[in-house]
Amino acid sequence: DQQVKQNSPSLSVQEGRISILNCDYTNSMFDYFLWYKKYPAEGPTFLISISSIKDKNEDGRFTVFLNKSAKHLSLHIVPSQPGDSAVYFCAYVIQGAQKLVFGQGTRLTINP
Amino acid sequence: NAGVTQTPKFQVLKTGQSMTLQCAQDMNHEYMSWYRQDPGMGLRLIHYSVGAGITDQGEVPNGYNVSRSTTEDFPLRLLSAAPSQTSVYFCASSKRGASGTEAFFGQGTRLTVV
């Protein structure tokens, strides 16, 4: 039973436009949601997080939105750049623990 | 600034062989964990540790052993390799109480079992 779902395996966006990556979850007992970015042959790197008590967090071109009633999370990248092409994973931290539960990932391709 | 170091980067094993994947971190992080990444499955937790001498099972622990004798090292042992263990393995570490519990990952070990 996948507790975190990223229903789009891939997404293609034109350079300069907005990229929106989505994530749905079933377990409400979390402290934080996090987004990780992964390039080929490298480990995931942390991108941005959001606390369970907030509905928005912004860091430069990256904004994460949390809709707790819909159990939905989204990452907005504006404007999209070629270097943003990577696989993006959403993950949550189980309340009271340090374990990360990951979604399946979405491969984002930014076209020039 | 090494961060999390995994060795080896690539490994081919025959079914039934055993081996140890090494993981070391130099950030004095309390928490360390092992994940495997398979196509369409994301990263799944194998084992984790909240400190030296303390380990626990994750989502997919069967066929793997871990120990944590020091803060820095967290090796993952495959007791008798099976083709189902063909995967990319990532080790991660994080600091207790860090905001957002940001984890730092190693570069991964690509394991093929034939």
Side-chain angles (χ1 to χ4, degrees):
Chain A
D1 181 27
Q2 191 79 28
Q3 296 185 49
V4 182
K5 290 185 179 179
Q6 294 178 255
N7 291 318
S8 298
S10 63
L11 177 67
S12 186
V13 174
Q14 198 161 6
E15 182 179 359
R17 308 293 280 265
I18 184 171
S19 295
I20 301 175
L21 296 99
N22 295 303
C23 183
D24 295 303
Y25 62 93
T26 56
N27 187 349
S28 298
M29 302 296 288
F30 65 92
D31 286 333
Y32 289 89
F33 256 103
L34 303 93
W35 284 94
Y36 281 85
K37 178 179 180 180
K38 185 183 180 304
Y39 293 119
E42 294 185 10
T45 55
F46 171 74
L47 187 59
I48 190 169
S49 66
I50 187 165
S51 164
S52 61
I53 61 172
K54 294 191 174 182
D55 54 19
K56 178 182 174 181
N57 188 29
E58 192 171 354
D59 184 2
R61 297 186 298 114
F62 302 92
T63 303
V64 57
F65 296 92
L66 177 60
N67 183 335
K68 288 187 283 291
S69 61
K71 295 187 178 178
H72 181 79
L73 186 79
S74 62
L75 174 68
H76 293 208
I77 306 174
V78 181
S80 300
Q81 299 174 353
D84 296 330
S85 294
V87 177
Y88 289 78
F89 293 97
C90 64
Y92 72 75
V93 179
I94 293 176
Q95 200 170 61
Q98 290 277 334
K99 297 184 287 184
L100 291 167
V101 178
F102 284 87
Q104 305 96 313
T106 296
R107 181 178 302 278
L108 175 65
T109 303
I110 307 300
N111 302 308
Chain B
N1 210 8
V4 179
T5 303
Q6 289 184 237
T7 56
K9 286 188 169 53
F10 301 94
Q11 183 71 48
V12 178
L13 286 180
K14 292 183 178 179
T15 297
Q17 285 185 315
S18 62
M19 79 158 294
T20 299
L21 279 64
Q22 302 291 345
C23 176
Q25 54 96 2
D26 61 359
M27 297 172 282
N28 203 31
H29 284 168
E30 296 90 348
Y31 294 100
M32 296 187 74
S33 50
W34 277 100
Y35 294 85
R36 58 179 288 174
Q37 184 192 7
D38 301 295
M41 303 288 287
L43 281 81
R44 292 181 294 168
L45 181 65
I46 304 171
H47 285 285
Y48 66 100
S49 169
V50 299
I54 306 169
T55 64
D56 206 347
Q57 295 181 352
E59 181 185 356
V60 288
N62 292 339
Y64 308 94
N65 271 0
V66 293
S67 60
R68 183 101 179 266
S69 56
T70 67
T71 299
E72 296 78 18
D73 299 299
F74 191 43
L76 178 72
R77 282 182 288 277
L78 280 71
L79 308 173
S80 176
S84 61
Q85 293 178 304
T86 294
S87 187
V88 182
Y89 292 84
F90 290 99
C91 177
S93 74
S94 60
K95 188 172 178 57
R96 187 205 313 266
S99 175
T101 320
E102 171 189 341
F104 294 84
F105 285 82
Q107 288 200 314
T109 296
R110 183 173 293 274
L111 175 69
T112 302
V113 183
V114 297

